[in-house]
């Protein structure tokens, strides 16, 4: 078994305790709810798009340290990105936490992907992968603009 | 921080530490503190060996072959039914129906008895303490038949509010379906009173005994309940087998719910005559090895003594309440006047999944989540909790290990 500190790195504990962009965007152009029925975690992701660029992104909800930190870090890397860039980051992150083939991102994005590295400890704990990806699934749903709820199950 | 005295012999008269040697899972997982018996109990070697020996020496299908092996298999299967009859003190073995588990038992009652005897306007009364398997089958019946589904609330202590329960009983109440012990909190329901009140109104009573069957003596005749359901795997037996007890008059009047072999007397393309209970409700080849394994689990439980197991669980539950209550920021979920075998709690500032992850690192296995009782947890104000549930192999040292690991987690996630 790996050391638990690799799962709960300081940056995860910090973002879990003090999530960034933890607020509602009143003038959101897009939003969606994410729900993990297994643990009752809920997240709402708010987006404010200017053209195809993410002008602002924030979230609210309740969840474990992993899911809260994942949502917090997500909002930090996504601000200012285009929709295509956001999707590329998600695809790469998803591959890394599920043990898929991550592929190579172009230089500026590779740096953002690096910021998400502390979350990839979940790949050793299959039950926790959904915690790390819940907010990203909600983001994708928000981009598709149906304002509904995505479930991990 | 180690605390508390160490008794060599536990309350109940058996030594859990010694008993652990009879459970191979502990030999193969040294250091394991298993506190999730409420989800499924570990199996003693006698159960595992019994199932293996049956396949090795006595296996054949039941109730059909004229050859000796089939007769032997049938005999073992029906012997297991007799053991269950004794375990519940049912009047007759024909009142014991083998099913896949308590979930299937409740679905059987809902789909057979419910569909045949309930009509729009009738009510089924359940409680806030129920887990999903004693909620969803009744919702399905409500939606198909137009019956009312009434939910008796809990009181401020987390126990069933008996006054409100009594007030909700009416001539429309045809069935009361209640848990014996709430799986999410350990609340022990005073089912003797519940059954008396329900019968006074002419309602039938189904008791979900999943958490109670492994923990305390159950006497369906003394209780006077109409149906009693439990699962083999929570009772130290195999998965895939469970029991529905039903009073004979009720089972005899109930139509079959699944059709097939085993449950028929005579079949033509025009018409089928059905078997009497219990075979009427056991279509197809049953889980023969599961039933025989459950019989072995009952032998194991009865050898320990059900009174002794109850004493053990009560003492350990009390110790757990004392020990956990001393942890700063830890809140035990209320379980009414009496709690048995289950300790469900919230640790301030630490999500149950994070807590369970840290506990796992300390080789302490607990359940984190909503315990398939979402409405109850919502009502108590928690989306999820951490739950430690006890078995015969647990002792005070396990509770101490749990408490120490919780303290570690609290430090780790301290704000």
């Amino acid at each position: 078994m790996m050391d638990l500190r690799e799962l709960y790195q300081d940056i995860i504990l910090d973002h879990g305790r003090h999530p960034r962009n933890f607020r509602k965007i009143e003038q959101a152009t897009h939003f969606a709810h994410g729900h993990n029925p297994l643990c009752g975690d809920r997240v709402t992701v708010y987006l404010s798009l200017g053209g195809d660029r993410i002008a602002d992104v924030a979230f609210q909800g309740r969840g474990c340290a992993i899911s809260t930190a994942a949502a917090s870090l997500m909002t930090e890397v996504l601000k200012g990105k285009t929709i295509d860039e956001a999707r590329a980051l998600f695809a790469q992150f998803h591959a890394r936490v599920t043990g898929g083939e991550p592929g190579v991102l172009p230089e500026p994005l590779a740096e953002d992907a690096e910021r998400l590295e502390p979350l990839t400890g979940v790949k050793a704990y299959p039950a926790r992968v959904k915690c790390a990806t819940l907010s990203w699934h909600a983001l994708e749903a928000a981009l598709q603009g149906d304002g509904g709820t995505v479930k991990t199950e | 921080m180690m605390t508390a005295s160490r008794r060599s012999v536990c309350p109940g008269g058996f030594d859990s530490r010694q008993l652990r040697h009879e459970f191979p899972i502990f030999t193969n997982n040294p250091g394991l503190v298993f506190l999730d018996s409420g989800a499924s109990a570990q199996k003693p070697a006698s159960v595992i060996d019994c199932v293996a020996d049956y396949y090795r020496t006595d296996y054949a299908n039941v109730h059909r072959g004229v050859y000796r092996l089939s007769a032997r298999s049938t005999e073992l299967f029906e012997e297991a039914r007799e053991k269950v009859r004794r375990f519940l003190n049912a009047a007759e073995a024909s009142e014991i129906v083998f099913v896949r588990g308590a979930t299937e038992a409740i679905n059987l009652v809902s789909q057979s008895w419910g569909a045949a005897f309930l009509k729009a306007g009738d009510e089924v009364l359940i409680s806030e303490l129920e887990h999903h398997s004693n909620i969803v089958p009744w919702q399905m019946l409500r939606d198909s038949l137009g019956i009312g589904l009434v939910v008796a609330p809990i009181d401020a202590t987390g126990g069933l509010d008996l006054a409100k329960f009594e007030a909700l009983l009416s001539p429309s109440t045809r069935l009361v379906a209640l848990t014996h012990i709430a799986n999410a909190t350990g609340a022990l329901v005073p089912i003797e009173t519940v059954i008396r009140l329900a019968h006074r109104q002419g309602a039938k009573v189904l008791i979900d005994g999943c958490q109670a069957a492994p923990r305390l003596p159950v006497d369906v005749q003394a209780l006077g309940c109409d149906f009693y359901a439990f699962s083999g795997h929570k009772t130290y037996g195999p998965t895939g087998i469970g029991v529905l007890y039903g009073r004979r008059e009720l089972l005899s009047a109930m139509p079959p719910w699944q059709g097939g072999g085993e449950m028929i007397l005579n079949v033509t393309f025009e018409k089928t005559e059905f078997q009497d209970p219990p075979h009427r409700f056991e279509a197809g080849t049953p889980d023969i090895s599961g039933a025989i394994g459950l019989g072995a689990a009952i032998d194991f439980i009865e050898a320990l003594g059900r009174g002794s197991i109850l004493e053990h669980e009560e003492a350990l539950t009390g110790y757990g309440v004392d020990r956990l209550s001393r942890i700063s920021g830890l809140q035990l979920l209320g379980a009414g006047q009496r709690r048995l075998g289950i300790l469900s709690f919230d640790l301030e500032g630490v999500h149950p999944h994070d807590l369970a992850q840290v506990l796992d690192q300390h080789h302490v296995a607990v359940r984190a989540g909503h315990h398939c009782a979402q409405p109850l947890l919502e009502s108590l104000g928690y989306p999820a909790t951490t739950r430690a549930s006890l078995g015969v192999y647990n002792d005070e040292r396990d509770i101490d290990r749990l408490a120490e690991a919780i303290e570690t987690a609290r430090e780790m996630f301290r704000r």
Side-chain angles (χ1 to χ4, degrees):
Chain A
M1 193 184 293
M2 70 188 272
D3 183 352
L4 209 53
R5 289 298 298 188
E6 299 203 12
L7 179 62
Y8 293 110
Q9 296 181 28
D10 284 339
I11 190 157
I12 304 285
L13 291 175
D14 177 43
H15 278 256
R17 287 179 194 125
H18 311 291
R20 324 296 199 263
N21 300 305
F22 191 81
R23 58 190 158 84
K24 181 178 182 179
I25 299 176
E26 294 296 342
Q27 308 299 325
T29 55
H30 297 67
F31 72 96
H33 307 290
H35 181 209
N36 183 344
L38 277 186
C39 54
D41 286 3
R42 287 178 187 280
V43 65
T44 304
V45 171
Y46 302 96
L47 280 172
S48 181
L49 291 188
D52 73 340
R53 206 166 277 280
I54 297 170
D56 196 10
V57 51
F59 80 105
Q60 283 187 316
R62 63 181 192 208
C64 63
I66 306 284
S67 77
T68 304
S72 175
L73 285 162
M74 179 188 82
T75 60
E76 285 204 321
V77 301
L78 286 186
K79 223 174 273 190
K81 297 292 183 302
T82 65
I83 293 172
D84 285 347
E85 287 169 337
R87 287 191 165 132
L89 278 167
F90 181 25
Q92 211 247 13
F93 177 64
H94 194 267
R96 280 153 86 203
V97 295
T98 55
E101 195 50 61
V104 183
L105 290 171
E107 193 35 57
L109 286 186
E111 212 169 285
D112 292 304
E114 200 49 43
R115 294 207 55 205
L116 303 175
E117 180 62 29
L119 286 163
T120 58
V122 296
K123 66 176 177 286
Y125 302 89
R128 306 304 297 278
V129 169
K130 285 166 184 168
C131 307
T133 55
L134 178 63
S135 56
W136 287 91
H137 284 291
L139 168 86
E140 181 57 38
L143 286 172
Q144 284 171 20
D146 52 12
T149 298
V150 286
K151 289 193 169 67
T152 56
E153 297 306 306
Chain B
M1 274 167 292
M2 301 295 279
T3 49
S5 61
R6 307 253 180 269
R7 275 174 266 186
S8 58
V9 177
C10 296
F14 56 85
D15 184 336
S16 295
R17 209 35 67 169
Q18 279 302 317
L19 196 58
R20 205 168 292 197
H21 296 305
E22 294 187 28
F23 287 79
I25 198 91
F26 295 110
T27 313
N28 294 317
N29 296 271
L32 171 65
V33 175
F34 189 75
L35 291 168
D36 198 21
S37 299
S40 202
Q42 296 298 343
K43 319 303 173 199
S46 60
V47 168
I48 299 168
D49 294 346
C50 167
V51 171
D53 287 349
Y54 166 65
Y55 279 124
R56 286 208 175 90
T57 57
D58 298 309
Y59 183 73
N61 210 332
V62 291
H63 299 139
R64 40 192 79 154
V66 292
Y67 51 93
R68 274 166 294 168
L69 209 50
S70 175
R72 173 80 191 129
S73 200
T74 304
E75 198 178 303
L76 289 170
F77 183 64
E78 293 304 325
E79 259 174 31
R81 198 189 305 275
E82 172 57 22
K83 284 179 188 177
V84 175
R85 183 206 65 74
R86 221 175 48 224
F87 187 67
L88 296 178
N89 193 34
E92 296 173 26
S94 64
E95 296 178 314
I96 304 300
V97 181
F98 282 123
V99 288
R100 277 192 300 146
T103 297
E104 189 171 78
I106 296 170
N107 277 278
L108 192 167
V109 175
S110 142
Q111 289 176 37
S112 167
W113 182 85
F117 296 105
L118 297 183
K119 55 183 190 314
D122 288 343
E123 289 176 356
V124 171
L125 178 56
I126 62 172
S127 85
E128 271 191 314
L129 294 169
E130 307 313 313
H131 63 150
H132 298 162
S133 58
N134 199 24
I135 301 173
V136 182
W138 308 116
Q139 282 177 337
M140 290 163 66
L141 202 61
R142 175 195 65 193
D143 296 343
S144 63
L145 291 184
I147 60 163
L149 180 58
V150 183
V151 184
I154 51 171
D155 61 20
T157 68
L160 178 69
D161 189 325
L162 271 176
K164 292 198 173 128
F165 170 80
E166 191 172 3
L168 288 169
L169 278 168
S170 82
S172 305
T173 313
R174 300 288 310 282
L175 179 76
V176 169
L178 281 193
T179 187
H180 199 160
I181 295 177
N183 78 312
T185 64
L188 182 63
V189 176
I191 58 166
E192 296 81 359
T193 310
V194 161
I195 293 167
R196 189 166 43 80
L197 293 172
H199 280 169
R200 198 192 286 164
Q201 276 288 1
K204 302 284 183 269
V205 181
L206 177 150
I207 301 294
D208 168 3
C210 276
Q211 300 296 335
R215 300 202 159 87
L216 45 82
V218 175
D219 180 335
V220 291
Q221 292 190 79
L223 287 169
C225 59
D226 300 286
F227 298 105
Y228 196 96
F230 73 94
S231 292
H233 72 96
K234 290 186 167 83
T235 313
Y236 307 101
T239 55
I241 189 76
V243 169
L244 172 69
Y245 156 80
R247 279 199 301 112
R248 194 168 74 122
E249 312 87 275
L250 288 165
L251 291 182
S252 299
M254 282 160 58
W257 76 310
Q258 286 173 351
E262 287 277 328
M263 51 81 76
I264 45 83
L265 279 176
N266 190 40
V267 178
T268 63
F269 281 112
E270 288 70 43
K271 186 175 180 302
T272 294
E273 283 176 77
F274 300 118
Q275 283 257 37
D276 287 334
H279 305 294
R280 184 189 298 169
F281 305 103
E282 294 178 355
T285 295
D287 182 358
I288 311 167
S289 67
I292 292 169
L294 175 58
I298 287 174
D299 290 341
F300 169 81
I301 288 173
E302 287 182 341
L304 284 178
R306 292 168 89 186
S308 300
I309 293 175
L310 173 59
E311 236 179 273
H312 165 80
E313 294 250 351
E314 274 179 328
L316 202 52
T317 304
Y319 181 80
V321 169
D322 289 349
R323 185 72 182 81
L324 295 186
S325 299
R326 292 209 301 274
I327 297 173
S328 154
L330 187 146
Q331 184 74 42
L332 275 161
L333 268 68
Q337 301 304 312
R338 218 173 142 200
R339 177 199 306 271
L340 189 63
I342 290 166
L343 302 157
S344 200
F345 54 91
D346 179 66
L347 183 63
E348 192 183 10
V350 185
H351 190 283
H353 272 199
D354 294 322
L355 179 55
Q357 194 84 65
V358 176
L359 297 188
D360 179 53
Q361 190 75 12
H362 291 260
H363 223 3
V364 176
V366 295
R367 180 90 183 267
H370 54 55
H371 320 302
C372 295
Q374 270 180 304
L376 173 60
L377 287 194
E378 289 292 338
S379 159
L380 291 166
Y382 300 101
T385 71
T386 308
R387 181 187 75 175
S389 49
L390 310 175
V392 292
Y393 29 65
N394 294 123
D395 66 2
E396 294 178 353
R397 271 174 282 182
D398 291 343
I399 302 285
D400 291 339
R401 287 265 310 273
L402 168 69
E404 288 151 19
I406 293 171
E407 299 274 15
T408 316
R410 206 167 59 88
E411 286 306 309
M412 187 168 169
F413 291 96
R414 190 190 283 279
R415 275 164 203 272

